[in-house]
Amino acid sequence: MDKKKLLFLIEIAIFSAIGLILDQLSFKLWAQGGSISLVMVPIVLMAFRWGVSGGLITGFLIGLLQVAMGASIFTPIQGFIDYFIAFTVVGLAGVVRHLVFAASKQLNKKAMTLYIVLGTTLGGLLRYIAHTTAGIVFFGEYAGDQNVYLYSIIYNGTYMLPATILTAVVAVLLFTSAPRLLQQQN
């Protein structure tokens, strides 16, 4: 195994573990689930550092670790959507990696900030869609007399919007203050 591939695997393992810890340190907003945490930070860091594959694998492993630690799963499909899909898709933040990297090489912090926020917003939005879909399909009884679609959109938005903003701020601060984090060591 070459050195770069080994580093990739080691970083995935480390950032997945960090993601699980950050999720455990979250601010629980609702008893039924949903919290404001920094769990997406390691996923977007890997996505910007290694590209989409690094982000997707890290997100998937964080979802897997959450399930292993006793996540709230009511049906297999709900668990798959809320943990495996929701956290894996955050790794799609890496689609803008080449733009972040190019801005970093030009020392253009404004452009870096823009692309980091765009990528993080994409990942956060896709995670939000996954949780909202699971909410509509599996947790409609909590809506009471309210429209289940509106209920799930609002419920999941109350924690996903702040979590996405917080993740974007942390990622911007990390990468603009230390752009070398984008470089893999050879």
Side-chain angles (χ1 to χ4, degrees):
M1 182 181 300
D2 66 64
K3 188 176 175 181
K4 191 171 183 177
K5 187 172 183 177
L6 180 61
L7 179 63
F8 176 67
L9 294 174
I10 290 169
E11 286 186 16
I12 286 172
I14 290 169
F15 279 99
S16 296
I18 290 170
L20 180 66
I21 292 166
L22 290 172
D23 191 53
Q24 299 300 313
L25 299 174
S26 64
F27 174 71
K28 303 286 183 199
L29 200 57
W30 302 108
Q32 298 92 350
S35 59
I36 300 170
S37 76
L38 294 171
V39 68
M40 292 190 294
V41 170
I43 303 169
V44 299
L45 290 178
M46 286 298 291
F48 293 139
R49 187 165 160 78
W50 290 96
V52 171
S53 63
L56 292 175
I57 296 168
T58 304
F60 179 83
L61 288 176
I62 288 173
L64 178 67
L65 289 169
Q66 289 176 329
V67 169
M69 296 296 290
S72 298
I73 298 177
F74 300 96
T75 72
I77 297 172
Q78 170 268 322
F80 185 72
I81 294 169
D82 267 340
Y83 294 96
F84 294 102
I85 291 177
F87 290 96
T88 300
V89 297
V90 174
L92 290 172
V95 299
V96 298
R97 180 193 188 276
H98 65 285
L99 297 170
V100 174
F101 194 76
S104 172
K105 281 191 171 230
Q106 297 171 354
L107 302 175
N108 186 340
K109 288 188 179 189
K110 285 184 182 181
M112 278 182 72
T113 299
L114 172 67
Y115 298 131
I116 290 167
V117 169
L118 283 174
T120 303
T121 301
L122 173 65
L125 177 63
L126 292 171
R127 179 180 165 206
Y128 168 69
I129 290 169
H131 289 311
T132 300
T133 301
I136 291 166
V137 175
F138 299 102
F139 299 106
E141 71 266 12
Y142 293 108
D145 294 334
Q146 301 174 59
N147 177 299
V148 68
Y149 294 95
L150 186 60
Y151 176 80
S152 188
I153 288 167
I154 293 170
Y155 179 92
N156 288 290
T158 61
Y159 68 90
M160 281 305 306
L161 181 61
T164 302
I165 292 169
L166 189 59
T167 299
V169 167
V170 170
V172 165
L173 291 173
L174 282 171
F175 283 122
T176 57
S177 63
R180 70 185 176 281
L181 291 174
L182 291 168
Q183 310 286 326
Q184 299 106 22
Q185 302 299 316
N186 292 323

